[in-house]
């Protein structure tokens, strides 16, 4: 199931964090009383990336964003404004939730996949 599908803005590629729609927050369950969740994402080469999803504590809506090694990921993958990042998830029978990430570069008006891989919650990775 798709969790986040975002065409990157200039802010997403320049400000070391990815802002994403509130409707996507349900894919990243926050521990009770917390406003953030850490996880490790593996790209198509199984390279681990440490990410953190956070929400603000005040205001009319949560305004979620993802940071951690987001800036490093953007630079390594060569992502720019107009490219797309997609997170999907799959709930396993044992209760684990597996996340996947892929980036698509906008080339000649079309999206082309540049990376993908499994994402696991930080607490599940040792």
């Amino acid at each position: 199931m798709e969790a986040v599908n975002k065409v990157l803005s200039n802010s997403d590629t320049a400000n070391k964090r990815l802002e994403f729609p509130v409707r996507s927050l349900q894919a990243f369950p926050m521990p009770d009383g917390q406003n953030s969740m850490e996880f490790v994402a593996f790209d198509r080469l199984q390279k681990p990336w440490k990410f953190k999803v956070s929400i603000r504590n005040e205001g009319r809506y949560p305004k979620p964003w993802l940071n951690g090694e987001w800036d490093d990921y953007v630079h390594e993958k060569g992502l720019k404004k107009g490219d797309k990042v997609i997170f999907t998830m799959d709930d396993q029978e044992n209760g684990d939730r597996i996340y996947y990430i892929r980036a698509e570069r906008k080339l000649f008006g079309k999206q082309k996949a540049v990376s993908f891989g499994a994402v696991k919650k930080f607490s599940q990775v040792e």
Side-chain angles (χ1 to χ4, degrees):
M1 177 176 11
E2 194 167 271
V4 176
N5 184 329
K6 172 96 190 284
V7 174
L8 300 177
S9 68
N10 189 51
S11 176
D12 294 326
T13 61
N15 292 337
K16 299 184 181 185
R17 70 185 205 177
L18 169 70
E19 295 181 0
F20 60 91
V22 173
R23 69 181 176 273
S24 297
L25 253 182
Q26 64 188 359
F28 304 99
M30 305 281 170
D32 288 339
Q34 301 293 314
N35 69 338
S36 65
M37 171 196 152
E38 293 182 336
F39 61 91
V40 173
F42 298 92
D43 65 16
R44 66 183 173 89
L45 301 175
Q46 296 302 306
K47 178 178 178 178
W49 299 91
K50 293 180 183 178
F51 294 115
K52 181 177 182 180
V53 173
S54 301
I55 56 174
R56 64 182 175 184
N57 289 327
E58 51 190 53
R60 294 186 301 168
Y61 60 96
K63 191 177 181 181
W65 72 89
L66 181 142
N67 61 0
E69 293 182 331
W70 170 250
D71 189 51
D72 296 331
Y73 181 80
V74 167
H75 285 94
E76 184 165 310
K77 303 302 179 188
L79 300 178
K80 308 267 187 244
K81 176 182 175 184
D83 293 342
K84 185 186 289 188
V85 172
I86 301 166
F87 286 91
T88 57
M89 63 184 190
D90 183 25
D91 290 327
Q92 304 294 299
E93 289 182 22
N94 66 2
D96 287 347
R97 177 173 283 175
I98 304 296
Y99 296 88
Y100 301 90
I101 183 172
R102 76 175 184 267
E104 297 178 352
R105 184 168 294 124
K106 187 174 182 181
L107 297 172
F108 308 110
K110 297 180 182 179
Q111 299 291 335
K112 180 179 178 180
V114 294
S115 66
F116 62 92
V119 179
K120 297 180 182 179
K121 291 181 188 176
F122 184 72
S123 61
Q124 293 176 334
V125 178
E126 297 182 347

